[in-house]
Amino acid sequence: MTDVIVLNGGSSSGKTSIARSLQELLPSLWLTLGTDTFVAALPSADAGIEFGADGTVTVGPEFRTVEAAWIAGVAAMAAAGARIVVDEVFLGGAASQARWRTALAAHGLDVLWVAVRCAPEVAARREAARGDRITGMAVKQAESVHVGVAYDVEVDTGSSGAEVCAREIAERVG
């Protein structure tokens, strides 16, 4: 039985919309937690994360320490019985997945790894329409977050809506 669904994709790729659709589609209660939840919990200054004017995101060791605690906490919640959709941006590609994989495996959790893709120009249009993101972030992350990452399912929100993508993912949830 799937305990955790990890949605990985760049900014404005459609992860949050898919997560909300999954919550409606799946027969049991699923929590959605992710990078936006984590970043919102950080203090506004000196959090070890920097957002460049060009959309570049840089993180330091202090951020990584707190991120490791966050990941361990999400894994512990899933181990305690909460089914969780993780809405994530693997800034470090395969290294980011490895951090999640290690924490989730330590609890013996069944994980469905999902690539949420869309063309960079589609993500850029969404980013501009949202107005709450740094211009350029979506384009910078569209491909880089997937480098070296292994997936069970890949969906493309540029060619299919969030609901269609969520149904495709839900079919793989055990």
Side-chain angles (χ1 to χ4, degrees):
M1 177 180 290
T2 304
D3 301 301
V4 178
I5 301 168
V6 178
L7 305 175
N8 176 49
S11 179
S12 301
S13 63
K15 300 176 306 295
T16 302
S17 297
I18 289 173
R20 294 292 177 221
S21 292
L22 283 168
Q23 287 179 306
E24 293 177 18
L25 282 171
L26 295 171
S28 58
L29 181 91
W30 286 76
L31 300 176
T32 297
L33 299 170
T35 193
D36 288 343
T37 313
F38 173 57
V39 170
L42 294 170
S44 59
D46 299 324
I49 185 169
E50 293 180 19
F51 300 94
D54 65 349
T56 302
V57 180
T58 307
V59 299
E62 187 173 34
F63 176 90
R64 287 287 182 227
T65 298
V66 177
E67 178 193 44
W70 165 260
I71 293 169
V74 172
M77 288 174 60
R83 295 179 92 183
I84 300 174
V85 178
V86 176
D87 175 345
E88 186 58 86
V89 179
F90 288 170
L91 293 174
S96 297
Q97 184 181 36
R99 287 189 287 277
W100 276 98
R101 189 180 298 278
T102 298
L104 297 168
H107 293 282
L109 297 167
D110 185 22
V111 182
L112 183 67
W113 300 94
V114 181
V116 179
R117 298 184 183 271
C118 73
E121 59 276 8
V122 172
R125 280 194 304 274
R126 292 176 183 168
E127 175 182 73
R130 289 175 71 162
D132 66 347
R133 297 285 189 245
I134 297 167
T135 302
M137 189 179 295
V139 169
K140 286 193 178 306
Q141 295 175 0
E143 298 299 329
S144 66
V145 299
H146 299 293
V147 174
V149 178
Y151 295 109
D152 301 307
V153 181
E154 297 198 22
V155 296
D156 185 339
T157 64
S159 59
S160 299
E163 299 80 16
V164 172
C165 293
R167 278 196 292 278
E168 185 177 338
I169 296 163
E171 289 173 7
R172 299 289 301 272
V173 174

